[in-house]
PDB file of all heavy atoms in Angstrom:
ATOM      1  N   ARG J  66      35.439  86.888  21.036  1.00  0.00           N
ATOM      2  CA  ARG J  66      36.216  86.180  20.017  1.00  0.00           C
ATOM      3  C   ARG J  66      37.459  86.999  19.701  1.00  0.00           C
ATOM      4  O   ARG J  66      37.400  88.219  19.631  1.00  0.00           O
ATOM      5  CB  ARG J  66      35.387  85.901  18.754  1.00  0.00           C
ATOM      6  CG  ARG J  66      35.123  87.106  17.881  1.00  0.00           C
ATOM      7  CD  ARG J  66      34.248  86.770  16.683  1.00  0.00           C
ATOM      8  NE  ARG J  66      34.935  85.932  15.685  1.00  0.00           N
ATOM      9  CZ  ARG J  66      34.436  85.738  14.457  1.00  0.00           C
ATOM     10  NH1 ARG J  66      33.286  86.282  14.088  1.00  0.00           N
ATOM     11  NH2 ARG J  66      35.102  84.998  13.612  1.00  0.00           N
ATOM     12  N   ASP J  68      39.839  85.957  17.128  1.00  0.00           N
ATOM     13  CA  ASP J  68      40.504  85.540  15.892  1.00  0.00           C
ATOM     14  C   ASP J  68      40.607  86.715  14.931  1.00  0.00           C
ATOM     15  O   ASP J  68      39.956  87.740  15.099  1.00  0.00           O
ATOM     16  CB  ASP J  68      39.735  84.389  15.231  1.00  0.00           C
ATOM     17  CG  ASP J  68      38.279  84.734  14.937  1.00  0.00           C
ATOM     18  OD1 ASP J  68      37.658  85.448  15.743  1.00  0.00           O
ATOM     19  OD2 ASP J  68      37.769  84.302  13.882  1.00  0.00           O
ATOM     20  N   HIS J 110      35.498  83.477   4.893  1.00  0.00           N
ATOM     21  CA  HIS J 110      36.689  84.268   5.246  1.00  0.00           C
ATOM     22  C   HIS J 110      37.837  83.366   5.668  1.00  0.00           C
ATOM     23  O   HIS J 110      37.643  82.262   6.164  1.00  0.00           O
ATOM     24  CB  HIS J 110      36.388  85.339   6.293  1.00  0.00           C
ATOM     25  CG  HIS J 110      35.910  84.850   7.631  1.00  0.00           C
ATOM     26  ND1 HIS J 110      36.512  83.846   8.339  1.00  0.00           N
ATOM     27  CD2 HIS J 110      34.889  85.285   8.408  1.00  0.00           C
ATOM     28  CE1 HIS J 110      35.897  83.681   9.490  1.00  0.00           C
ATOM     29  NE2 HIS J 110      34.893  84.520   9.551  1.00  0.00           N
ATOM     30  N   ALA J 112      40.626  82.637   8.275  1.00  0.00           N
ATOM     31  CA  ALA J 112      40.674  82.927   9.712  1.00  0.00           C
ATOM     32  C   ALA J 112      42.020  82.511  10.289  1.00  0.00           C
ATOM     33  O   ALA J 112      42.616  81.519   9.862  1.00  0.00           O
ATOM     34  CB  ALA J 112      39.553  82.196  10.442  1.00  0.00           C
ATOM     35  N   TYR J 114      43.606  82.254  14.273  1.00  0.00           N
ATOM     36  CA  TYR J 114      43.515  82.436  15.724  1.00  0.00           C
ATOM     37  C   TYR J 114      44.939  82.536  16.251  1.00  0.00           C
ATOM     38  O   TYR J 114      45.674  81.540  16.224  1.00  0.00           O
ATOM     39  CB  TYR J 114      42.803  81.245  16.381  1.00  0.00           C
ATOM     40  CG  TYR J 114      41.300  81.223  16.182  1.00  0.00           C
ATOM     41  CD1 TYR J 114      40.747  80.918  14.940  1.00  0.00           C
ATOM     42  CD2 TYR J 114      40.436  81.503  17.241  1.00  0.00           C
ATOM     43  CE1 TYR J 114      39.372  80.904  14.764  1.00  0.00           C
ATOM     44  CE2 TYR J 114      39.057  81.488  17.068  1.00  0.00           C
ATOM     45  CZ  TYR J 114      38.536  81.189  15.824  1.00  0.00           C
ATOM     46  OH  TYR J 114      37.178  81.174  15.642  1.00  0.00           O
ATOM     47  N   TYR J 120      37.036  81.589  20.707  1.00  0.00           N
ATOM     48  CA  TYR J 120      35.730  82.131  20.321  1.00  0.00           C
ATOM     49  C   TYR J 120      34.712  81.444  21.221  1.00  0.00           C
ATOM     50  O   TYR J 120      34.516  80.231  21.133  1.00  0.00           O
ATOM     51  CB  TYR J 120      35.455  81.834  18.847  1.00  0.00           C
ATOM     52  CG  TYR J 120      34.295  82.558  18.195  1.00  0.00           C
ATOM     53  CD1 TYR J 120      34.162  82.574  16.815  1.00  0.00           C
ATOM     54  CD2 TYR J 120      33.316  83.217  18.949  1.00  0.00           C
ATOM     55  CE1 TYR J 120      33.110  83.226  16.189  1.00  0.00           C
ATOM     56  CE2 TYR J 120      32.265  83.873  18.325  1.00  0.00           C
ATOM     57  CZ  TYR J 120      32.162  83.868  16.960  1.00  0.00           C
ATOM     58  OH  TYR J 120      31.107  84.499  16.335  1.00  0.00           O
ATOM     59  N   HIS J 123      28.684  80.000  20.680  1.00  0.00           N
ATOM     60  CA  HIS J 123      27.775  80.819  19.869  1.00  0.00           C
ATOM     61  C   HIS J 123      27.081  79.952  18.820  1.00  0.00           C
ATOM     62  O   HIS J 123      27.454  78.797  18.606  1.00  0.00           O
ATOM     63  CB  HIS J 123      28.555  81.934  19.150  1.00  0.00           C
ATOM     64  CG  HIS J 123      29.557  81.416  18.152  1.00  0.00           C
ATOM     65  ND1 HIS J 123      30.783  80.906  18.523  1.00  0.00           N
ATOM     66  CD2 HIS J 123      29.506  81.286  16.803  1.00  0.00           C
ATOM     67  CE1 HIS J 123      31.431  80.506  17.443  1.00  0.00           C
ATOM     68  NE2 HIS J 123      30.673  80.718  16.375  1.00  0.00           N
ATOM     69  N   ASP J 125      26.096  80.268  14.631  1.00  0.00           N
ATOM     70  CA  ASP J 125      26.503  81.077  13.478  1.00  0.00           C
ATOM     71  C   ASP J 125      25.322  81.795  12.847  1.00  0.00           C
ATOM     72  O   ASP J 125      25.491  82.746  12.088  1.00  0.00           O
ATOM     73  CB  ASP J 125      27.168  80.192  12.414  1.00  0.00           C
ATOM     74  CG  ASP J 125      28.584  79.827  12.807  1.00  0.00           C
ATOM     75  OD1 ASP J 125      29.098  80.375  13.798  1.00  0.00           O
ATOM     76  OD2 ASP J 125      29.177  78.988  12.112  1.00  0.00           O
ATOM     77  N   ARG J 133      22.348  82.520   7.041  1.00  0.00           N
ATOM     78  CA  ARG J 133      23.359  81.463   7.132  1.00  0.00           C
ATOM     79  C   ARG J 133      22.689  80.138   7.486  1.00  0.00           C
ATOM     80  O   ARG J 133      22.083  80.006   8.550  1.00  0.00           O
ATOM     81  CB  ARG J 133      24.374  81.797   8.218  1.00  0.00           C
ATOM     82  CG  ARG J 133      25.328  82.887   7.817  1.00  0.00           C
ATOM     83  CD  ARG J 133      26.256  83.179   8.964  1.00  0.00           C
ATOM     84  NE  ARG J 133      27.260  84.153   8.579  1.00  0.00           N
ATOM     85  CZ  ARG J 133      28.147  84.652   9.425  1.00  0.00           C
ATOM     86  NH1 ARG J 133      28.145  84.262  10.692  1.00  0.00           N
ATOM     87  NH2 ARG J 133      29.032  85.521   9.012  1.00  0.00           N
ATOM     88  N   VAL J 138      33.839  74.630   7.902  1.00  0.00           N
ATOM     89  CA  VAL J 138      35.187  75.040   8.310  1.00  0.00           C
ATOM     90  C   VAL J 138      36.198  74.049   7.747  1.00  0.00           C
ATOM     91  O   VAL J 138      36.021  72.840   7.888  1.00  0.00           O
ATOM     92  CB  VAL J 138      35.338  75.069   9.853  1.00  0.00           C
ATOM     93  CG1 VAL J 138      36.641  75.751  10.256  1.00  0.00           C
ATOM     94  CG2 VAL J 138      34.149  75.752  10.514  1.00  0.00           C
ATOM     95  N   TYR J 140      40.230  73.216   7.930  1.00  0.00           N
ATOM     96  CA  TYR J 140      41.467  73.524   8.654  1.00  0.00           C
ATOM     97  C   TYR J 140      42.682  73.288   7.766  1.00  0.00           C
ATOM     98  O   TYR J 140      42.729  72.319   7.012  1.00  0.00           O
ATOM     99  CB  TYR J 140      41.566  72.672   9.919  1.00  0.00           C
ATOM    100  CG  TYR J 140      40.397  72.892  10.846  1.00  0.00           C
ATOM    101  CD1 TYR J 140      39.450  71.901  11.037  1.00  0.00           C
ATOM    102  CD2 TYR J 140      40.220  74.113  11.491  1.00  0.00           C
ATOM    103  CE1 TYR J 140      38.363  72.103  11.871  1.00  0.00           C
ATOM    104  CE2 TYR J 140      39.131  74.328  12.321  1.00  0.00           C
ATOM    105  CZ  TYR J 140      38.204  73.319  12.502  1.00  0.00           C
ATOM    106  OH  TYR J 140      37.118  73.534  13.320  1.00  0.00           O
ATOM    107  N   GLY J 151      42.870  74.729  21.171  1.00  0.00           N
ATOM    108  CA  GLY J 151      42.225  75.196  19.942  1.00  0.00           C
ATOM    109  C   GLY J 151      41.191  74.258  19.348  1.00  0.00           C
ATOM    110  O   GLY J 151      40.835  74.386  18.172  1.00  0.00           O
ATOM    111  N   ALA J 152      40.672  73.324  20.153  1.00  0.00           N
ATOM    112  CA  ALA J 152      39.666  72.406  19.601  1.00  0.00           C
ATOM    113  C   ALA J 152      38.367  73.147  19.309  1.00  0.00           C
ATOM    114  O   ALA J 152      38.042  74.155  19.956  1.00  0.00           O
ATOM    115  CB  ALA J 152      39.400  71.263  20.571  1.00  0.00           C
ATOM    116  N   LEU J 153      37.644  72.642  18.341  1.00  0.00           N
ATOM    117  CA  LEU J 153      36.273  73.085  18.102  1.00  0.00           C
ATOM    118  C   LEU J 153      35.395  72.215  18.992  1.00  0.00           C
ATOM    119  O   LEU J 153      35.445  70.990  18.909  1.00  0.00           O
ATOM    120  CB  LEU J 153      35.890  72.887  16.635  1.00  0.00           C
ATOM    121  CG  LEU J 153      34.396  73.061  16.319  1.00  0.00           C
ATOM    122  CD1 LEU J 153      33.963  74.510  16.493  1.00  0.00           C
ATOM    123  CD2 LEU J 153      34.086  72.570  14.907  1.00  0.00           C
ATOM    124  N   PHE J 179      28.123  71.971   9.543  1.00  0.00           N
ATOM    125  CA  PHE J 179      26.985  71.805  10.463  1.00  0.00           C
ATOM    126  C   PHE J 179      25.915  72.841  10.153  1.00  0.00           C
ATOM    127  O   PHE J 179      26.178  73.862   9.503  1.00  0.00           O
ATOM    128  CB  PHE J 179      27.440  71.889  11.922  1.00  0.00           C
ATOM    129  CG  PHE J 179      28.205  73.138  12.278  1.00  0.00           C
ATOM    130  CD1 PHE J 179      27.548  74.286  12.691  1.00  0.00           C
ATOM    131  CD2 PHE J 179      29.597  73.168  12.219  1.00  0.00           C
ATOM    132  CE1 PHE J 179      28.256  75.441  13.032  1.00  0.00           C
ATOM    133  CE2 PHE J 179      30.317  74.306  12.551  1.00  0.00           C
ATOM    134  CZ  PHE J 179      29.642  75.446  12.965  1.00  0.00           C
ATOM    135  N   HIS J 186      28.508  76.077  19.296  1.00  0.00           N
ATOM    136  CA  HIS J 186      29.892  75.615  19.276  1.00  0.00           C
ATOM    137  C   HIS J 186      30.816  76.714  19.772  1.00  0.00           C
ATOM    138  O   HIS J 186      30.409  77.874  19.874  1.00  0.00           O
ATOM    139  CB  HIS J 186      30.283  75.183  17.856  1.00  0.00           C
ATOM    140  CG  HIS J 186      30.104  76.272  16.843  1.00  0.00           C
ATOM    141  ND1 HIS J 186      28.874  76.604  16.317  1.00  0.00           N
ATOM    142  CD2 HIS J 186      30.975  77.137  16.276  1.00  0.00           C
ATOM    143  CE1 HIS J 186      29.000  77.599  15.470  1.00  0.00           C
ATOM    144  NE2 HIS J 186      30.278  77.953  15.425  1.00  0.00           N
ATOM    145  N   GLU J 187      32.040  76.326  20.085  1.00  0.00           N
ATOM    146  CA  GLU J 187      33.032  77.315  20.498  1.00  0.00           C
ATOM    147  C   GLU J 187      34.413  76.842  20.089  1.00  0.00           C
ATOM    148  O   GLU J 187      34.611  75.665  19.790  1.00  0.00           O
ATOM    149  CB  GLU J 187      32.973  77.546  22.008  1.00  0.00           C
ATOM    150  CG  GLU J 187      33.437  76.392  22.857  1.00  0.00           C
ATOM    151  CD  GLU J 187      33.366  76.723  24.352  1.00  0.00           C
ATOM    152  OE1 GLU J 187      34.059  77.643  24.802  1.00  0.00           O
ATOM    153  OE2 GLU J 187      32.599  76.036  25.051  1.00  0.00           O
ATOM    154  N   VAL J 188      35.344  77.796  20.046  1.00  0.00           N
ATOM    155  CA  VAL J 188      36.737  77.443  19.791  1.00  0.00           C
ATOM    156  C   VAL J 188      37.480  77.641  21.107  1.00  0.00           C
ATOM    157  O   VAL J 188      37.525  78.746  21.654  1.00  0.00           O
ATOM    158  CB  VAL J 188      37.355  78.315  18.680  1.00  0.00           C
ATOM    159  CG1 VAL J 188      38.828  77.965  18.488  1.00  0.00           C
ATOM    160  CG2 VAL J 188      36.588  78.140  17.369  1.00  0.00           C
ATOM    161  N   ARG J 195      46.465  79.160  14.665  1.00  0.00           N
ATOM    162  CA  ARG J 195      45.495  78.173  14.148  1.00  0.00           C
ATOM    163  C   ARG J 195      44.860  78.750  12.885  1.00  0.00           C
ATOM    164  O   ARG J 195      44.260  79.816  12.917  1.00  0.00           O
ATOM    165  CB  ARG J 195      44.455  77.965  15.239  1.00  0.00           C
ATOM    166  CG  ARG J 195      43.282  77.047  14.928  1.00  0.00           C
ATOM    167  CD  ARG J 195      42.290  77.245  16.050  1.00  0.00           C
ATOM    168  NE  ARG J 195      41.238  76.255  16.129  1.00  0.00           N
ATOM    169  CZ  ARG J 195      40.085  76.360  15.484  1.00  0.00           C
ATOM    170  NH1 ARG J 195      39.855  77.375  14.681  1.00  0.00           N
ATOM    171  NH2 ARG J 195      39.158  75.447  15.660  1.00  0.00           N
ATOM    172  N   SER J 197      42.528  78.487   9.271  1.00  0.00           N
ATOM    173  CA  SER J 197      41.383  77.820   8.642  1.00  0.00           C
ATOM    174  C   SER J 197      40.708  78.753   7.644  1.00  0.00           C
ATOM    175  O   SER J 197      40.987  79.956   7.618  1.00  0.00           O
ATOM    176  CB  SER J 197      40.368  77.432   9.718  1.00  0.00           C
ATOM    177  OG  SER J 197      39.988  78.591  10.447  1.00  0.00           O
ATOM    178  N   THR J 199      36.698  79.585   6.851  1.00  0.00           N
ATOM    179  CA  THR J 199      35.342  79.335   7.340  1.00  0.00           C
ATOM    180  C   THR J 199      34.346  79.964   6.384  1.00  0.00           C
ATOM    181  O   THR J 199      34.525  81.111   5.964  1.00  0.00           O
ATOM    182  CB  THR J 199      35.165  79.947   8.744  1.00  0.00           C
ATOM    183  OG1 THR J 199      36.179  79.442   9.593  1.00  0.00           O
ATOM    184  CG2 THR J 199      33.806  79.579   9.318  1.00  0.00           C
ATOM    185  N   TRP J 201      29.973  80.050   4.886  1.00  0.00           N
ATOM    186  CA  TRP J 201      28.556  79.822   5.162  1.00  0.00           C
ATOM    187  C   TRP J 201      27.783  79.732   3.870  1.00  0.00           C
ATOM    188  O   TRP J 201      27.897  80.609   2.993  1.00  0.00           O
ATOM    189  CB  TRP J 201      27.996  80.955   6.033  1.00  0.00           C
ATOM    190  CG  TRP J 201      28.621  80.971   7.379  1.00  0.00           C
ATOM    191  CD1 TRP J 201      28.217  80.246   8.469  1.00  0.00           C
ATOM    192  CD2 TRP J 201      29.789  81.700   7.795  1.00  0.00           C
ATOM    193  NE1 TRP J 201      29.058  80.480   9.534  1.00  0.00           N
ATOM    194  CE2 TRP J 201      30.038  81.370   9.146  1.00  0.00           C
ATOM    195  CE3 TRP J 201      30.661  82.587   7.150  1.00  0.00           C
ATOM    196  CZ2 TRP J 201      31.095  81.906   9.865  1.00  0.00           C
ATOM    197  CZ3 TRP J 201      31.726  83.121   7.867  1.00  0.00           C
ATOM    198  CH2 TRP J 201      31.927  82.780   9.211  1.00  0.00           C
TER     199      TRP J 201
HETATM  200  C1  OGA B 301      33.307  80.686  13.414  1.00  0.00           C
HETATM  201  C2  OGA B 301      33.665  79.430  14.100  1.00  0.00           C
HETATM  202  C3  OGA B 301      35.022  77.440  14.263  1.00  0.00           C
HETATM  203  C4  OGA B 301      36.415  76.954  14.038  1.00  0.00           C
HETATM  204  O1  OGA B 301      34.167  81.273  12.733  1.00  0.00           O
HETATM  205  O2  OGA B 301      32.137  81.093  13.524  1.00  0.00           O
HETATM  206  O3  OGA B 301      32.900  79.015  14.943  1.00  0.00           O
HETATM  207  O4  OGA B 301      36.687  75.799  14.397  1.00  0.00           O
HETATM  208  N1  OGA B 301      34.789  78.751  13.772  1.00  0.00           N
HETATM  209  O5  OGA B 301      37.244  77.710  13.530  1.00  0.00           O
END
Side-chain angles (χ1 to χ4, degrees):
R66 74 182 290 193
D68 57 324
H110 62 48
Y114 285 72
Y120 192 166
H123 64 282
D125 283 352
R133 286 178 176 175
V138 191
Y140 301 110
L153 169 68
F179 55 88
H186 57 281
E187 69 179 297
V188 177
R195 176 191 194 271
S197 56
T199 305
W201 295 274

